[in-house]
Amino acid sequence: MTLDNFIDECIKQQRATESLRQRGYAFLPGVLPESTVLSARSEFARLFTKRPTGVRGVKHPPGRMLSINTAKCAPSAYPVIHSIFYSPALTTLLGSFDPGALDVNHSIALTHETEEGSVTDLHFDTRRSIKVLMYLQDTDEHTAAFRYAPGSHIENTLYRERFFQQGGDILDLQNALPVSRQQSLALDTLDGPGGSLIIFDTDGWHMAGQLADRSRQRRVIRSRSPFITPSSLAASRFSIAWFKRKLRMTRTERPFTLPQRESTGGSSRKRS
């Protein structure tokens, strides 16, 4: 079987498209063959050592991070990673989610976490996208396994749309929950072997877990496919679109807000 056959078969078995819409995520545990995972890990290490054109370092307090600009970086510079995230099975799934609404694989991030403690807080991203996350190694509760609140993307998408319709600024979007509210939120913890893929809607509450101690490490790769439909875009501050939204506001002095939520000021990966 080819790599794409492996992914396509697992997408069908796990009913990934249906799960993504209803639960906000689809989990494909151990979908990639071991040989592909080993090659991806080798390529991951090489990219951190020697960055080709279109790859830049990003500040990441829990460890280190690279971002691949897929429009500027040649596929030959990261052939294994490219073959995974651009497999026809995955791109077809992303394209069918909301035809024409996604900028598929706009960027690909590589993160290597080494610091003990929380990797990210519980949040939803300020700019909505569909992400595909790959575990490069066996990952569980001790190595910051990904966590997601199933179904929460529905409420948060409605909140986002109402917020921006009323002229809200992206820096004020309430995309985080205080610790007091997190305790009552049901989160699925996605433990999985290296080669597992998680496809998720970033409007759902999600987070990376914790590294139990300094002997643990976490290596993941994730692609980002942002929504480009008008209802999903936030107007940048003081842009023409921003002023238009402000002028359309009626009967309210402030954009729609919800109790017991917080804003990360435009950051979707705040260190807790």
Side-chain angles (χ1 to χ4, degrees), residues 18-26 148-154 188 204:
E18 179 182 347
S19 180
L20 181 58
R21 291 183 181 278
Q22 295 181 358
R23 299 176 61 81
Y25 76 88
Y148 196 97
S152 60
H153 63 300
I154 297 173
D188 290 349

Side-chain angles (χ1 to χ4, degrees), residues 36 81 90 105 119 124 137 139 216 221:
T36 300
I81 294 172
L90 274 181
N105 290 335
V119 174
F124 68 87
Q137 61 195 57
T139 304
R216 316 274 182 168
I221 304 173

Side-chain angles (χ1 to χ4, degrees), residues 27-32 37 133-136 191-198:
F27 186 33
L28 311 181
V31 59
L32 301 178
V37 178
L133 183 149
M134 173 189 173
Y135 289 158
L136 278 176
D191 298 346
S196 298
L197 296 178
I198 303 167

Side-chain angles (χ1 to χ4, degrees), residues 201-243:
D201 185 333
T202 65
D203 262 1
W205 295 114
H206 62 278
M207 65 186 298
Q210 296 188 349
L211 288 177
D213 53 62
R214 293 186 67 87
S215 68
R216 316 274 182 168
Q217 297 187 23
R218 176 179 182 262
R219 295 177 180 85
V220 301
I221 304 173
R222 67 181 181 279
S223 67
R224 175 175 175 266
S225 300
F227 280 79
I228 54 178
T229 52
S231 62
S232 300
L233 293 176
S236 59
R237 182 171 285 187
F238 305 131
S239 67
I240 294 176
W242 183 85
F243 277 111

